[in-house]
Structures are given as C-alpha cells and as structure tokens.
Amino acid sequence: LLNKADITPSAATPFYSESADTAGALETLLRLSDAIASSGDVKHLQRSILDVLTTIPGVADAWIGYPDADGKLRLSASAGLDFTTIFGYNGYEIDLTDPDHANGPVVRAWRMNWPYFVDDWNTDPYIAPRRDVGLKLGWQSSVVLPLRGREGPKEVLVIYGRTVGLFSTPLLKSVVLQLASGLWLAIEERKKAAALYRVQGLYQAL
C-alpha cells in the first residue's frame, strides 16, 4: 500500500514541518502497510488500522461505519472514543437518506463518493450542527473517506484530529487517501476468503 519513498520527507517537500503534532509519525505510518498485509478477518483488519491511525500524533479518534437498508449508519469498528455510545442500538444519528443531513461531511462524502476534509471545526459551515459537541471532544479537524467498491462507496472511514489543518499536511493527506483505496481492497479480499471458507465447510459437511 505505502512505499517508504512516499512517506520519507525531503528538502523539497517539508511535509511535517507544518505541524509539531505530526513529528515522529513516519514510522507509525509504515505500520499501516503491515496492518493491511496482516492476516485475520475483516473486524481484525479494521481494528488494526484504526489502532494504528490513533497512534499518529495529532489524531484523536476514528471509526468505520456502513449504512443499513434504511440508510442509518452502523458502526463497524472504532478507536479512541467509544463510539458505541454515539451510534447506539438504533444506529448513528446520521441518516444518509435524510435531506436535513445532506450538507454534513459524512453524507457529502458518501453522496459524492469523494473524501471530505474539514480543516477547522471552528469555522467549517457544514460542521455547524455538531460543532459544539466535537469541540468539547477536542476535535479541531477531520476527514471522511468513502471506502469505494466497484459500484460506489460501501463504508466510510472518519478520522478526527486535535489540531487545525492536520489532514491537509501533504504527507498525511496523501497517506489517508492511499489508505482509503487500499483498505477496501483488503476488506473485499477478506470477505471473499471468508465466503470461500464457508462454502468449503458446507462441502465437507456433505
């Protein structure tokens, strides 16, 4: 997924000089490739990726979710904040089919099938309904990354930062975009492997 050359700063590209909180993150980012390549099921993969992401200096919390048949977001995995208390039994408060939520970052990213970066939770107009809650949790920036399948987005990866503009630093922005692409491919591979294992089990039971 990631080549060391892609995440090694050079004199011409002072990636992390823009944020003191991202100093020392390069080796942590290399662990994302290891997590992608590791064995384990989909849940293990998702938890591993989120655990790595939340060790990057400046990153606060992260979660992966998917919409159910009614358009309510369901939690797949999270790290940092316990998002199970936010999603709850009936799904997250965001409804992908509700026009009232159309301008929120998650819905915008989902509908456009394109990443949405929030550089500053203090000023971004689309954050307004959740600004107070997010700021109390220490969120100053965030990025919503649709995990794309062949027919459009399948899940979303949302990462929150403790500093303004964290995900706009060139290196980190490049890494999270590559991660979003590679992560869904890895998820699909594990789902196919699990399905094949179940079929083999059925044949063995005959």
Side-chain angles (χ1 to χ4, degrees):
L1 171 65
L2 305 174
N3 297 317
K4 189 162 186 175
D6 296 330
I7 62 174
T8 301
S10 66
T13 318
F15 291 119
Y16 274 95
S17 61
E18 300 177 23
S19 172
D21 286 321
T22 55
L26 296 179
E27 291 303 316
T28 304
L29 293 175
L30 287 172
R31 293 169 54 202
L32 292 170
S33 289
D34 294 335
I36 288 284
S38 66
S39 59
D41 60 14
V42 171
K43 289 292 186 183
H44 178 269
L45 169 64
Q46 292 172 330
R47 286 194 298 267
S48 297
I49 290 294
L50 295 177
D51 285 343
V52 173
L53 287 173
T54 51
T55 65
I56 297 174
V59 172
D61 309 293
W63 58 270
I64 297 174
Y66 66 95
D68 62 15
D70 298 322
K72 298 283 189 180
L73 278 179
R74 301 287 178 177
L75 184 67
S76 294
S78 66
L81 180 69
D82 182 8
F83 283 93
T84 56
T85 59
I86 296 178
F87 279 74
Y89 178 78
N90 292 321
Y92 191 35
E93 60 190 42
I94 292 179
D95 184 343
L96 296 175
T97 66
D98 187 347
D100 290 340
H101 295 149
N103 286 327
V106 172
V107 179
R108 287 173 66 84
W110 180 269
R111 290 182 174 174
M112 294 187 298
N113 194 18
W114 199 255
Y116 188 86
F117 290 82
V118 177
D119 286 333
D120 190 345
W121 266 67
N122 295 280
T123 59
D124 191 289
Y126 301 117
I127 289 296
R130 295 171 178 80
R131 191 187 319 278
D132 291 344
V133 173
L135 292 176
K136 287 178 181 178
L137 292 170
W139 300 341
Q140 294 290 324
S141 57
S142 61
V143 57
V144 182
L145 301 163
L147 304 182
R148 304 184 184 103
R150 293 182 178 85
E151 299 176 355
K154 302 296 183 182
E155 295 187 340
V156 289
L157 166 62
V158 186
I159 316 169
Y160 302 94
R162 297 188 183 94
T163 58
V164 171
L166 177 66
F167 303 103
S168 293
T169 54
L171 175 57
L172 193 52
K173 185 173 184 177
S174 174
V175 168
V176 296
L177 291 176
Q178 291 182 56
L179 172 63
S181 175
L183 180 54
W184 182 251
L185 292 175
I187 289 174
E188 282 191 321
E189 289 177 359
R190 281 162 173 76
K191 286 183 175 180
K192 290 177 181 177
L196 179 60
Y197 180 81
R198 289 193 295 269
V199 170
Q200 291 173 339
L202 290 174
Y203 276 116
Q204 292 173 358
L206 293 177

